[in-house]
Amino acid sequence: ADDTMLGREQRPAPTQTASARVALVESIRLKPGSFDRQARTFEAVFTKGAHVHRWFGNEILEISPDAIDLTRLETGQVRFLDHHRSDDRRAVLGIVERAWIEGDGLVGAIRLAETPEAQEAAGQIERGELTGISVGNRVDKWQITAVDEATGREDWTARRWVLLEVSLVSVQADASAFVRSAVPATDV
């Protein structure tokens, strides 16, 4: 493994499956015109790399061109799912068409499928009822970047990771990822 342990003994990096990564963005929450009903498309903040509490410590996704592997996106293989449900074809709500780094976040464009489930989700997205976004990924290179000496809790930064899927979720783990919608946010 290629992990830096900040003076700690060598041990394997935590294992993970395509689990949730999310965030609600403060200043870029509202992007008028993002949701296009006719085209069935919208933009979303996929992740801002916030500290997400995990069993092994705090997980942080590095947001940089060198860190994020978008190969699956380039081949049309990054789906937009309902709550990370990859085991049911009805949970496929659409496809991620593009992704790019904007400021300190990974942002992208999503096209909804032409299914009853996607149509229902489109209504919730358009009305601002369901806006949480979470990314599923595979981490290929970890680095411990901080240790809280009082608690022993470690910050594990994903220095190289693959975007596997993006999900619409009820509750995000990272308060900086969300649908950019035309619905005004009352708390901004």
Side-chain angles (χ1 to χ4, degrees):
D2 196 43
D3 303 321
T4 302
M5 298 296 155
L6 294 178
R8 295 186 178 255
E9 72 283 356
Q10 288 288 329
R11 63 184 184 278
T15 59
Q16 79 178 71
T17 60
S19 60
R21 313 291 173 268
V22 287
L24 277 177
V25 169
E26 320 75 35
S27 63
I28 59 175
R29 180 176 178 126
L30 180 64
K31 183 170 181 179
S34 171
F35 186 85
D36 183 332
R37 181 186 299 173
Q38 187 172 9
R40 300 177 335 276
T41 60
F42 63 93
E43 289 183 5
V45 176
F46 294 167
T47 181
K48 298 271 283 181
H51 290 62
V52 175
H53 187 83
R54 300 286 182 215
W55 67 269
F56 56 83
N58 297 313
E59 177 190 86
I60 305 160
L61 296 177
E62 180 177 319
I63 307 297
S64 74
D66 291 334
I68 306 168
D69 180 346
L70 297 175
T71 305
R72 292 174 56 88
L73 178 73
E74 295 161 4
T75 60
Q77 296 303 308
V78 178
R79 301 292 182 248
F80 182 57
L81 301 178
D82 180 0
H83 290 81
H84 299 290
R85 290 180 30 230
S86 61
D87 61 346
D88 184 349
R89 68 173 176 73
R90 291 172 301 229
V92 177
L93 299 176
I95 189 166
V96 177
E97 292 189 325
R98 295 183 302 119
W100 62 93
I101 294 173
E102 186 175 299
D104 60 351
L106 179 64
V107 178
I110 296 169
R111 176 175 306 282
L112 293 169
E114 294 186 39
T115 63
E117 293 81 8
Q119 186 65 30
E120 183 179 343
Q124 290 182 294
I125 292 167
E126 186 175 24
R127 293 185 301 270
E129 297 166 355
L130 192 55
T131 61
I133 296 292
S134 177
V135 299
N137 63 69
R138 182 187 74 236
V139 176
D140 292 331
K141 182 179 178 184
W142 288 104
Q143 181 180 17
I144 296 177
T145 52
V147 178
D148 181 328
E149 292 303 325
T151 65
R153 190 153 185 82
E154 301 167 329
D155 286 352
W156 287 75
T157 299
R159 295 292 190 203
R160 184 76 178 149
W161 56 279
V162 178
L163 181 64
L164 298 176
E165 53 92 354
V166 176
S167 283
L168 184 65
V169 296
S170 304
V171 178
Q172 345 33 336
D174 172 345
S176 302
F178 55 84
V179 171
R180 288 177 159 179
S181 77
V183 176
T186 57
D187 56 47
V188 178

